[in-house]
Amino acid sequence: EIPYNYTSFSDREIVIRLIGADMWTLLDELRGERRTGRSARMLFEVLGDIWVVDRNPYLQDDLIDNPKRQRLLVDALRHRLVEIEKRRVASAGADPTRDAKVARLIAATTMAIDRFAAWFPEAATLRRRTLRVLARHTHRDNVAFDGLARVSHVTDATDWRVEYPFVVLYPDTEDEVRGLVEGCIGLGLTIIPRGGGTGYTGGAIPLDARSAVINTEKLERLSPVERVVLPGHTQPVPTIDAGAGVVTRRVMDAAEGAGLVFAVDPTSADASCIGGNVAMNAGGKKAV
């Protein structure tokens, strides 16, 4: 019944996320007592408007850049609640229990609108602060808040979408990563490293709205195969020095060129990156 819901979340999940589990129970009880259903439709329209913006970074960017449009939207949400309240008052006394339930729903939805309205200035302020802090460690163009960057990093091969990242970072070198990590910790952002985004375990998926995805695809340093004596060994072993963003196929080809085998076999070899292979202990069905 929630309009504009083109996500995989059900009405129940959306209501719980926006106004809480108790309010879903309350709403479910009121559904069975409907008369005209007009108040319920208006309430779902309010939640739908909040939800469609919450799940669309392009709309968020547009509203952050247009304070007037923000106010018009928030005013429209509050207007619908006022209309619901008028209908509640008009029917007050007929069923005190039902009246109290509707009042609680209106109060919870008012709080949801307040949070929604407060998000825009808070997000704009945090974006400015984040850019100021992180631009000390990488080029400003490598700090991305735009809708395309956030949509591109909301999920991996699982297609499981929970939260859009707050910012996506594209460091040019490994030396930049330490400063970016320290900056993100100082800003209170959850850090998620990501390579090719081919994982099936959800390791690259943001679960917190204030997440920073560090995209490692530009870290493509790759040495030739060299024989090195590693700690704990007496004989040299073949090694290769690769940046986290090196595509798996390139390492496999380098090993083959040296008469060796890099013994992994992911189906994503042409898209996955070495950083993710090591982090997730990935190998494929025929890996040694």
Side-chain angles (χ1 to χ4, degrees), residues 23-283:
M23 293 302 107
W24 169 255
T25 303
L26 212 58
L27 190 55
D28 213 27
E29 291 171 3
L30 288 168
R31 277 172 149 173
E33 306 168 11
R34 282 186 188 175
R35 293 163 190 162
T36 65
R38 177 163 171 72
S39 292
R41 282 196 299 274
M42 285 193 290
L43 180 66
F44 280 127
E45 285 171 2
V46 170
L47 298 179
D49 281 349
I50 294 175
W51 183 248
V52 74
V53 174
D54 187 58
R55 304 303 294 181
N56 192 319
Y58 299 103
L59 288 178
Q60 292 172 5
D61 288 346
D62 181 63
L63 291 167
I64 286 174
D65 293 338
N66 292 275
K68 182 179 178 182
R69 215 169 282 174
Q70 281 180 43
R71 289 193 297 273
L72 289 172
L73 175 57
V74 172
D75 287 349
L77 299 178
R78 296 195 192 283
H79 174 73
R80 287 200 194 97
L81 272 196
V82 168
E83 292 301 310
I84 296 172
E85 175 65 10
K86 285 179 182 176
R87 294 173 66 82
R88 184 190 73 82
V89 171
S91 61
D95 187 341
T97 302
R98 184 178 187 281
D99 183 60
K101 291 177 181 178
V102 175
R104 287 178 60 197
L105 266 176
I106 292 172
T109 308
T110 299
M111 291 175 62
I113 295 173
D114 291 343
R115 287 193 300 270
F116 178 72
W119 180 87
F120 296 101
E122 289 172 2
T125 300
L126 185 56
R127 284 184 179 190
R128 288 191 294 270
R129 184 178 167 217
T130 299
L131 183 60
R132 187 171 63 251
V133 170
L134 300 184
R136 299 170 190 159
H137 308 289
T138 190
H139 194 279
R140 292 172 68 91
D141 291 345
N142 293 337
V143 182
F145 302 100
D146 62 280
L148 179 59
R150 296 173 64 208
V151 167
S152 301
H153 292 79
V154 69
T155 189
D156 56 13
T158 62
D159 203 33
W160 185 36
R161 299 159 193 269
V162 182
E163 295 285 357
Y164 287 92
F166 174 72
V167 64
V168 181
L169 308 175
Y170 302 90
D172 291 312
T173 67
E174 293 171 12
D175 291 340
E176 295 177 355
V177 174
R178 175 174 177 168
L180 292 175
V181 167
E182 289 177 344
C184 287
I185 291 171
L187 291 161
L189 300 176
T190 296
I191 301 166
I192 300 171
R194 176 194 171 98
T198 60
Y200 284 106
T201 58
I205 294 174
L207 300 181
D208 189 292
R210 291 199 171 181
S211 296
V213 173
I214 301 180
N215 184 309
T216 63
E217 289 179 303
K218 288 200 248 177
L219 310 182
E220 294 189 300
R221 173 180 48 82
L222 184 64
S223 77
V225 174
E226 300 174 309
R227 293 190 174 272
V228 178
V229 178
L230 298 176
H233 293 261
T234 56
Q235 299 298 318
V237 295
T239 66
I240 191 164
D241 185 15
V246 174
V247 172
T248 304
R249 177 68 66 190
R250 290 182 61 201
V251 178
M252 296 169 75
D253 290 345
E256 186 177 351
L260 302 164
V261 175
F262 181 53
V264 299
D265 181 44
T267 55
S268 61
D270 294 307
S272 62
C273 298
I274 286 300
N277 289 157
V278 174
M280 305 306 296
N281 195 28

